[in-house]
Amino acid sequence: MSNHHTALTTAERAAIKWRDLAPMHWHDGVIECCHPLPWLAASWWGATQGLWFIAIPASFMFFLTALRLNHEAIHGNLGFRARGHRVVLHGLSALMLGSNNAVAFNHLQHHRHIGTPDDLEGACGRMTAAQVIAHGPLFPLRMHRAAWQQGGAALRRRMRIDLALNLLVAATALMIGAPFLLYHLAAMIVAQCLTAFFAVWITHHDCEPEDVARTQRSPVINFVSYNMLLHLEHHLFPGVPVRRLGILARRIAAAAPEFARGNALVVPEPRLFRPASARLAHGNQHRPLEKQRNRSWLRLSMRCI
């Protein structure tokens, strides 16, 4: 279990400025939509060439970036109108398989009822690693069933569209018989079976109730994971887009240093990155963290994520 027992106080939460981080313009959303495309192309090219050491990692990164895009569409954080966010969910359903509208329903329930019996998604965080991996193939099925049974007519209509797109993609792949398409179907099925572990368990396991979720401090790890491990910050302020969660994390550390020091981490940080993470956790008493100089090219490049 986490050894953190210091919750974020009402005063500390009120002191954290986050609303200026929330607005997104449509062109920001277009950039977000482009993140998965290079990884998808690389996975298809690798599968076509039989270069599985390229295809498999690229498929993992495609699914990771697609999860991020899907997550932003669920929370309306892409700068589009409501219809535009629904189009993104439908498109991702075709590429990732399954119904992302069903995922959206369960994810919003997760935010509303975290840690309760109504939190179907978050229940995976209370399992052991072995249990959640064994549960993996059932996870998307149970999520879809819950959304179908508990959602309204509009949700069931959107799920029908998603599942029709799934059938269309699968039928096209089977009829054409292109190796890269067949590989993509297989990769996405495997990815869906591992979603409970990679998308839920690693950010929620062994957390105290007041911890809510885990986070990450290393800028390198957050760079390669597209900020998806900054999950505690997301739960505290879900209106902040993922691309700006690093800024939010620094503001939280400045406003509530004791809270930040006790945060449970997703990945134990390598010794190489401990000095940077220590500065983040302890804050800087002399000037705001977001104004400190970024001395590495990596921190600069993270602004584009």
Side-chain angles (χ1 to χ4, degrees), residues 106 109-110 113-121 126 150:
N106 285 285
Q109 289 288 96
H110 169 58
H113 307 291
I114 188 166
T116 72
D118 294 325
D119 180 14
L120 180 62
E121 177 183 306
R126 297 186 289 276
Q150 299 173 27

Side-chain angles (χ1 to χ4, degrees), residues 40 54 57 81 107 119 128 177 188 207 258 268:
L40 180 63
I54 293 177
R81 295 180 179 178
H107 185 67
D119 180 14
T128 66
M188 292 303 99
C207 283
E258 185 176 351

